PDB file of all heavy atoms in Angstrom:
ATOM      1  N   ASP A  75       0.284  38.244  -2.206  1.00 97.00           N
ATOM      2  CA  ASP A  75       1.529  37.691  -2.886  1.00 97.00           C
ATOM      3  C   ASP A  75       1.437  36.246  -2.969  1.00 97.00           C
ATOM      4  O   ASP A  75       1.403  35.564  -1.939  1.00 97.00           O
ATOM      5  CB  ASP A  75       2.752  38.119  -2.107  1.00 97.00           C
ATOM      6  CG  ASP A  75       4.059  37.829  -2.689  1.00 97.00           C
ATOM      7  OD1 ASP A  75       4.029  36.861  -3.612  1.00 97.00           O
ATOM      8  OD2 ASP A  75       5.042  38.340  -2.254  1.00 97.00           O
ATOM      9  N   LEU A  76       1.172  35.804  -4.212  1.00 97.00           N
ATOM     10  CA  LEU A  76       1.034  34.343  -4.503  1.00 97.00           C
ATOM     11  C   LEU A  76       2.321  33.642  -5.034  1.00 97.00           C
ATOM     12  O   LEU A  76       2.293  32.569  -5.462  1.00 97.00           O
ATOM     13  CB  LEU A  76      -0.160  34.130  -5.456  1.00 97.00           C
ATOM     14  CG  LEU A  76      -1.503  34.688  -5.085  1.00 97.00           C
ATOM     15  CD1 LEU A  76      -2.490  34.524  -6.266  1.00 97.00           C
ATOM     16  CD2 LEU A  76      -2.022  33.964  -3.856  1.00 97.00           C
ATOM     17  N   ALA A  77       3.410  34.453  -4.962  1.00 95.00           N
ATOM     18  CA  ALA A  77       4.541  33.932  -5.607  1.00 95.00           C
ATOM     19  C   ALA A  77       4.994  32.593  -4.973  1.00 95.00           C
ATOM     20  O   ALA A  77       5.675  31.879  -5.731  1.00 95.00           O
ATOM     21  CB  ALA A  77       5.657  34.967  -5.503  1.00 95.00           C
ATOM     22  N   ARG A  78       4.780  32.378  -3.724  1.00 95.00           N
ATOM     23  CA  ARG A  78       5.306  31.073  -3.062  1.00 95.00           C
ATOM     24  C   ARG A  78       4.108  30.124  -2.902  1.00 95.00           C
ATOM     25  O   ARG A  78       4.156  29.167  -2.071  1.00 95.00           O
ATOM     26  CB  ARG A  78       5.874  31.414  -1.741  1.00 95.00           C
ATOM     27  CG  ARG A  78       7.240  32.070  -2.023  1.00 95.00           C
ATOM     28  CD  ARG A  78       7.932  32.433  -0.719  1.00 95.00           C
ATOM     29  NE  ARG A  78       7.877  33.942  -0.644  1.00 95.00           N
ATOM     30  CZ  ARG A  78       7.802  34.724   0.401  1.00 95.00           C
ATOM     31  NH1 ARG A  78       7.919  34.149   1.593  1.00 95.00           N
ATOM     32  NH2 ARG A  78       7.767  35.957   0.349  1.00 95.00           N
ATOM     33  N   VAL A  79       3.077  30.272  -3.656  1.00 96.00           N
ATOM     34  CA  VAL A  79       1.917  29.397  -3.617  1.00 96.00           C
ATOM     35  C   VAL A  79       2.166  28.283  -4.658  1.00 96.00           C
ATOM     36  O   VAL A  79       2.380  28.527  -5.860  1.00 96.00           O
ATOM     37  CB  VAL A  79       0.476  30.078  -3.855  1.00 96.00           C
ATOM     38  CG1 VAL A  79      -0.522  29.108  -4.052  1.00 96.00           C
ATOM     39  CG2 VAL A  79       0.274  31.050  -2.676  1.00 96.00           C
ATOM     40  N   SER A  80       2.124  27.033  -4.188  1.00 94.00           N
ATOM     41  CA  SER A  80       2.369  25.955  -5.105  1.00 94.00           C
ATOM     42  C   SER A  80       1.156  25.365  -5.829  1.00 94.00           C
ATOM     43  O   SER A  80       1.253  24.774  -6.904  1.00 94.00           O
ATOM     44  CB  SER A  80       3.022  24.769  -4.328  1.00 94.00           C
ATOM     45  OG  SER A  80       2.238  24.395  -3.262  1.00 94.00           O
ATOM     46  N   PHE A  81      -0.092  25.709  -5.275  1.00 95.00           N
ATOM     47  CA  PHE A  81      -1.299  25.154  -5.873  1.00 95.00           C
ATOM     48  C   PHE A  81      -2.457  26.083  -5.475  1.00 95.00           C
ATOM     49  O   PHE A  81      -2.575  26.507  -4.291  1.00 95.00           O
ATOM     50  CB  PHE A  81      -1.557  23.758  -5.396  1.00 95.00           C
ATOM     51  CG  PHE A  81      -2.751  23.200  -5.912  1.00 95.00           C
ATOM     52  CD1 PHE A  81      -2.822  22.678  -7.187  1.00 95.00           C
ATOM     53  CD2 PHE A  81      -3.972  23.086  -5.104  1.00 95.00           C
ATOM     54  CE1 PHE A  81      -3.968  22.102  -7.733  1.00 95.00           C
ATOM     55  CE2 PHE A  81      -5.051  22.493  -5.587  1.00 95.00           C
ATOM     56  CZ  PHE A  81      -5.105  22.088  -6.902  1.00 95.00           C
ATOM     57  N   LEU A  82      -3.209  26.476  -6.460  1.00 96.00           N
ATOM     58  CA  LEU A  82      -4.483  27.245  -6.287  1.00 96.00           C
ATOM     59  C   LEU A  82      -5.552  26.564  -6.997  1.00 96.00           C
ATOM     60  O   LEU A  82      -5.461  26.353  -8.204  1.00 96.00           O
ATOM     61  CB  LEU A  82      -4.212  28.679  -6.868  1.00 96.00           C
ATOM     62  CG  LEU A  82      -5.407  29.574  -6.857  1.00 96.00           C
ATOM     63  CD1 LEU A  82      -5.673  30.020  -5.364  1.00 96.00           C
ATOM     64  CD2 LEU A  82      -5.025  30.880  -7.671  1.00 96.00           C
ATOM     65  N   ASP A  83      -6.675  26.141  -6.206  1.00 96.00           N
ATOM     66  CA  ASP A  83      -7.711  25.590  -6.858  1.00 96.00           C
ATOM     67  C   ASP A  83      -8.954  26.508  -7.079  1.00 96.00           C
ATOM     68  O   ASP A  83      -8.858  27.596  -6.759  1.00 96.00           O
ATOM     69  CB  ASP A  83      -8.195  24.229  -6.038  1.00 96.00           C
ATOM     70  CG  ASP A  83      -8.941  24.468  -4.850  1.00 96.00           C
ATOM     71  OD1 ASP A  83      -9.160  25.632  -4.385  1.00 96.00           O
ATOM     72  OD2 ASP A  83      -9.321  23.466  -4.143  1.00 96.00           O
ATOM     73  N   SER A  84     -10.055  26.011  -7.487  1.00 96.00           N
ATOM     74  CA  SER A  84     -11.298  26.803  -7.816  1.00 96.00           C
ATOM     75  C   SER A  84     -11.808  27.405  -6.546  1.00 96.00           C
ATOM     76  O   SER A  84     -12.338  28.544  -6.549  1.00 96.00           O
ATOM     77  CB  SER A  84     -12.365  25.945  -8.460  1.00 96.00           C
ATOM     78  OG  SER A  84     -12.798  24.892  -7.687  1.00 96.00           O
ATOM     79  N   VAL A  85     -11.665  26.760  -5.313  1.00 97.00           N
ATOM     80  CA  VAL A  85     -12.173  27.371  -4.130  1.00 97.00           C
ATOM     81  C   VAL A  85     -11.317  28.524  -3.727  1.00 97.00           C
ATOM     82  O   VAL A  85     -11.802  29.656  -3.344  1.00 97.00           O
ATOM     83  CB  VAL A  85     -12.299  26.289  -3.001  1.00 97.00           C
ATOM     84  CG1 VAL A  85     -12.723  26.977  -1.728  1.00 97.00           C
ATOM     85  CG2 VAL A  85     -13.155  25.160  -3.331  1.00 97.00           C
ATOM     86  N   GLY A  86      -9.948  28.445  -3.970  1.00 97.00           N
ATOM     87  CA  GLY A  86      -9.037  29.487  -3.777  1.00 97.00           C
ATOM     88  C   GLY A  86      -9.305  30.659  -4.626  1.00 97.00           C
ATOM     89  O   GLY A  86      -9.268  31.781  -4.332  1.00 97.00           O
TER      90      GLY A  86
END
Side-chain angles (χ1 to χ4, degrees):
D75 186 342
L76 302 172
R78 287 177 253 157
V79 170
S80 58
F81 180 76
L82 177 66
D83 77 357
S84 61
V85 178

